[in-house]
Amino acid sequence: MELRKLFAFGTGAGIEVRGNDLVVALSKVRPSGVEALAAATIHAFRERPAAEWGAEYAQFLKRHGAGHLSATVVLPRRDVIVRRMALPGIDGADLAAAIGYQIESLHPYGEDEIVYGWERISDRGAVILGIVRRSALDAYMDRFSEAGVKVASLTFSAAVWRAAARLFTSPPAAGFLALGYGPGGEIEVYGESPSMPVFSAEFDLPRERAVALAAAELRLPPDTEALPLEQIVPAPAKSGNLDSSPGASALPYAASLAGACPRLAPAANLLPEERRITTSRAMFVPVAALAVVLLVMCGVLLGYSAYGEQQYLATLRAEIARLEPQAKKAAALDRSLARADARVRVLEEFRSRAKTDLDALQELTRILEPPVWTNQVILMRDAAILSGEAEQAAPLLKILDASPFFQKSGFLVSIVKAEKMELFRIRTERERR
């Protein structure tokens, strides 16, 4: 049994918004497997009074001892825009910021306020992202709140299928393709492959054509066999009164698995954190187990004998004494390397000075065009002194300061007129390069 299975504790309620109905499924997850507790359909929830169908939902939960649960709700595909993003080299808080910078270019809603949720889907910075209008999200939440339905997550089908498929094990590395049928007869396709971590789409096409298009998109072999969607999630060891058609409750069943173990099977959540209601009690079982282990370890540490501590300290001192001569040699070598590195830097600086001076002379030759000429150029590390003649010496200061090599130019002595020329002596500071 994999280590992650030891933390598979929880009971979840999944709700799929299917047209005018709500399809509900309850599941209990344990390290030994999954028990599908029950499923039900609440009809015409959009037309009926919220109190009426809310009471029906509450009675359903109560009959199965799950009245405390908050639901994971899967919104219809038409209400959610799903995007895949590749953000290689970005991790942690920077990943959320990078998504926020690009979010406005990922939806067609214009100035309408939107809400989005995302989940990492690969170690290379790829994420799956869902975007929904805030008005649509608020309408659903107002309806659920009016009915007394506690909601922990609003998500979408692609995120749910991916999360539930990883509850106990990882999907095949070579990829897979699975399909099911929507309430209107449309074909829903979900798949994964090495070249595309997530693919989800609906097709109003014949089955064979839909499978071929999806396989081509995933870059899977053309003869790839399409699995039923319900086969990519853990099969229940026990089944309650689920729908007689296995695929009819597959999506809410997968949502209930994601809701039962949100840490093992995280699905992108469109619901803002301040509006999430988390009430699952089984999620605290791993915390309690870890707390017991921590208490036991503290008891062992407190009971550790003084003799053992003395033995450990004696061994540590002996090891320090043995390694101390080597440490001193290493420190002396570090000092020697530092001195050598300092000498190398000094030599490199001297070597670069000649090039810097030549660049400065070349720049002076370029910007001081005839009839300007110089009879003396003195180059220092941080300044240059120019002596020469020009028809007009005053503009030379502006010419020098416009160069990237010089700045803060000024005359050292007053300009002297000699026939048609002006004698000048200018000092200008050299910019460090």
Side-chain angles (χ1 to χ4, degrees):
M1 181 180 293
E2 297 181 4
L3 180 61
R4 64 185 286 117
K5 288 186 178 182
L6 298 176
F7 298 94
F9 280 92
T11 303
I15 300 177
E16 177 192 358
V17 180
R18 186 182 297 173
N20 202 31
D21 300 334
L22 298 178
V23 184
V24 187
L26 293 177
S27 299
K28 181 187 294 184
V29 179
R30 295 293 184 269
S32 58
V34 178
E35 180 181 354
L37 297 177
T41 300
I42 298 175
H43 298 283
F45 84 100
R46 298 181 191 272
E47 286 82 17
R48 295 164 59 191
E52 180 181 320
W53 64 263
E56 183 181 339
Y57 172 77
Q59 286 296 323
F60 170 75
L61 293 185
K62 188 175 180 180
R63 282 197 304 271
H64 301 282
H68 63 284
L69 290 181
S70 296
T72 297
V73 179
V74 184
L75 296 179
R77 296 183 69 95
R78 67 174 183 273
D79 290 331
V80 185
I81 293 177
V82 180
R83 295 282 189 261
R84 291 185 306 273
M85 297 181 65
L87 300 167
I90 303 177
D91 200 0
D94 295 336
L95 187 59
I99 295 171
Y101 291 144
Q102 302 184 42
I103 193 65
E104 294 301 327
S105 64
L106 299 176
H107 66 83
Y109 297 141
E111 298 299 322
D112 292 352
E113 189 175 359
I114 57 96
V115 179
Y116 64 94
W118 58 274
E119 190 65 42
R120 182 190 294 273
I121 58 176
S122 79
D123 294 334
R124 293 174 292 180
V127 300
I128 184 171
L129 175 74
I131 307 171
V132 63
R133 280 191 177 97
R134 179 173 287 277
S135 59
L137 182 143
D138 288 342
Y140 280 113
M141 288 305 300
D142 291 345
R143 193 70 174 157
F144 286 127
S145 178
E146 187 179 355
V149 177
K150 293 177 289 188
V151 179
S153 172
L154 283 180
T155 185
F156 46 95
S157 60
V160 167
W161 291 125
R162 185 180 186 279
R166 287 164 172 75
L167 180 60
F168 288 136
T169 59
S170 298
F176 66 90
L177 179 62
L179 61 82
Y181 293 90
E186 66 277 5
I187 297 177
E188 179 182 2
V189 178
Y190 176 83
E192 300 179 15
S193 70
S195 60
M196 185 173 291
V198 170
F199 174 77
S200 177
E202 275 189 353
F203 295 97
D204 190 11
L205 296 171
R207 182 183 187 279
E208 293 75 12
R209 179 60 176 162
V211 171
L213 288 175
E217 188 73 20
L218 287 162
R219 293 178 175 82
L220 294 175
D223 58 348
T224 299
E225 181 180 356
L227 304 171
L229 272 171
E230 59 269 19
Q231 289 189 11
I232 70 173
V233 298
K238 297 180 182 179
S239 297
N241 59 333
L242 293 179
D243 196 296
S244 58
S245 174
S249 302
L251 184 54
Y253 168 68
S256 69
L257 298 182
C261 299
R263 288 168 178 77
L264 293 183
N269 193 348
L270 299 168
L271 193 62
E273 289 189 14
E274 66 273 10
R275 302 185 67 175
R276 301 173 189 175
I277 303 175
T278 304
T279 55
S280 176
R281 295 175 294 195
M283 66 180 292
F284 298 108
V285 171
V287 178
L290 290 175
V292 171
V293 173
L294 181 61
L295 289 174
V296 172
M297 294 299 296
C298 289
V300 172
L301 290 175
L302 290 174
Y304 195 73
S305 66
Y307 173 78
E309 292 180 0
Q310 291 297 327
Q311 289 294 105
Y312 174 75
L313 290 173
T315 303
L316 188 60
R317 292 191 185 98
E319 191 67 14
I320 291 173
R322 186 179 68 85
L323 295 176
E324 189 173 6
Q326 299 178 29
K328 290 181 178 179
K329 289 181 180 178
L333 182 60
D334 287 341
R335 290 192 295 271
S336 176
L337 289 174
R339 289 193 295 270
D341 185 59
R343 294 191 188 101
V344 169
R345 285 198 298 271
V346 171
L347 292 175
E348 286 291 333
E349 182 181 352
F350 276 106
R351 188 170 67 87
S352 64
R353 286 182 181 178
K355 182 180 182 306
T356 303
D357 291 345
L358 288 175
D359 289 344
L361 286 174
Q362 185 177 5
E363 179 70 2
L364 289 172
T365 304
R366 184 184 69 82
I367 63 177
L368 300 180
E369 299 178 345
V372 178
W373 64 278
T374 57
N375 53 29
Q376 185 180 47
V377 177
I378 302 174
L379 290 179
M380 295 171 285
R381 290 300 89 209
D382 58 352
I385 297 176
L386 313 176
S387 300
E389 299 180 5
E391 290 182 348
Q392 293 184 345
L396 296 181
L397 300 182
K398 185 175 181 181
I399 293 174
L400 288 169
D401 286 345
S403 169
F405 287 79
F406 306 103
Q407 62 181 355
K408 299 180 181 179
S409 304
F411 291 105
L412 289 177
V413 296
S414 300
I415 298 173
V416 179
K417 292 188 176 291
E419 296 182 358
K420 295 182 180 181
M421 304 297 285
E422 294 181 352
L423 305 180
F424 62 84
R425 185 172 178 81
I426 297 173
R427 184 184 188 280
T428 182
E429 293 185 8
R430 297 177 62 183
E431 293 191 359
R432 296 186 179 274
R433 306 189 64 81

